[in-house]
Structure formats: structure tokens, C-alpha cells
Amino acid sequence: MRHPNLTHNGEVYDLSHFNPYTFDFELRTEEFKDAPVRIKVIFSVHCYAKKSVEGDPQELIRQDHRGEDRTFCPSRYKDSLTVRDEISKMVQEKVRHTGGTNFFYLPNGVELYFQVIKSKSDDADLLLRIQSMYTRTVGNPPNAGMIPFFKIVYQTMKGNKINTNR
């Protein structure tokens, strides 16, 4: 899904950093040594929009993948400007596993929530779906076990469930 720019009060917000892209990930294992894993990155509107409330300006409302209204949020947008850089760092590090196919990464106090699933299209092996990215203002991040990103890729390619000790 492409994310068209948004204009509000005469200011244009460039959302092109949320457009899908694909990268190669090298898995250094016997099974996957001959070819890199192709990972397609897609972004949810939750990366730059919050739950809508009555009275939000119509030009700021976008629908998420479930058809729910979300309203553009300047602070989430600001947090997201480095999302591609954070993803390139994240894939080399450990991330937190909250259960099932859900994970998060905590760069510089910004929480980046994501899923890794098998792709159903021919242009990638896996889909990295960035669900949300924001600075938490209330409470604490969820309690979660740690796992290296490469193990998520490996286990997902093999069709295995991912387990971490919490």
C-alpha cells in the first residue's frame, strides 16, 4: 500500500518513507546459504495516525487495514521520520517478542512494533509489516523475551513457531 502525502493547514506531510520496499537479508545457515531472503517491508497507517475521535478534521483521517478511521498524528509522524534507518539497525540486533508473530524494537525510546510472516507474493519471501511506531507517554512497554532478528527470519522461513523465554 502506498501512502499519499497529506496536507493540513497548508503544510504538506511527505509520507513517502512509508511506501513499501524490499531488501535482501543474508541468512548464514546451511539451508539458506545460496540465496538471500527477500524481505518486503510494508507500513500500517498506525505509524503516523492515532485512534480517531469525533470532531477530528476529515482531511486528517485515513483508514487502517481493518477499515477503522485513524487521524494523522504529528508526533507519530515526527517519530517515524527515521523508520527506515531504524529498520536497517533492527535487523542486525535483538528484538522483543510479545507472542505469536508480534515483536517490537526499542530504539532511542521509540517503540517500533512489527510482524514477520511468509509472503504470499512472488516478489518476496517474507513480509515485515511495521504495525506502529511511537514514543510511549503512559505506562511501560510490554514484558517480552529477547530474540535476534535473524532467528525470526530463520524460523519463519522454516515455518516454525517462535518461542522465547519470558
Side-chain angles (χ1 to χ4, degrees), residues 19-83:
N19 289 336
Y21 69 96
T22 304
F23 68 94
D24 290 338
F25 187 83
E26 297 291 332
L27 261 181
R28 294 180 179 95
T29 64
E30 196 59 37
E31 298 105 312
F32 300 104
K33 68 179 180 181
D34 296 330
V37 176
R38 300 276 301 150
I39 299 177
K40 184 174 186 174
V41 182
I42 60 173
F43 299 88
S44 165
V45 300
H46 291 235
C47 292
Y48 58 87
K50 62 184 180 178
K51 184 174 178 145
S52 291
V53 295
E54 194 170 327
D56 283 344
Q58 192 60 40
E59 71 269 15
L60 295 182
I61 295 177
R62 300 274 169 97
Q63 287 194 334
D64 69 8
H65 63 284
R66 294 181 301 243
E68 294 177 7
D69 286 346
R70 305 284 296 182
T71 300
F72 178 77
C73 175
S75 63
R76 283 188 180 210
Y77 173 78
K78 183 180 173 213
D79 286 343
S80 76
L81 292 173
T82 60
V83 69

Side-chain angles (χ1 to χ4, degrees), residues 1 18-23 25 37-44 65 87 90-91 101-103 113-131 149 152-154 156-157 162:
M1 171 177 137
F18 295 118
N19 289 336
Y21 69 96
T22 304
F23 68 94
F25 187 83
V37 176
R38 300 276 301 150
I39 299 177
K40 184 174 186 174
V41 182
I42 60 173
F43 299 88
S44 165
H65 63 284
I87 291 168
M90 176 184 80
V91 301
T101 60
N102 295 302
F103 304 89
Y113 290 85
F114 66 96
Q115 290 181 307
V116 178
I117 57 174
K118 285 237 182 171
S119 176
K120 294 179 182 171
S121 66
D122 293 336
D123 63 345
D125 301 305
L126 298 178
L127 233 108
L128 170 57
R129 182 175 178 270
I130 307 301
Q131 299 166 301
F149 186 84
I152 298 168
V153 172
Y154 178 78
T156 305
M157 287 295 292
I162 296 168

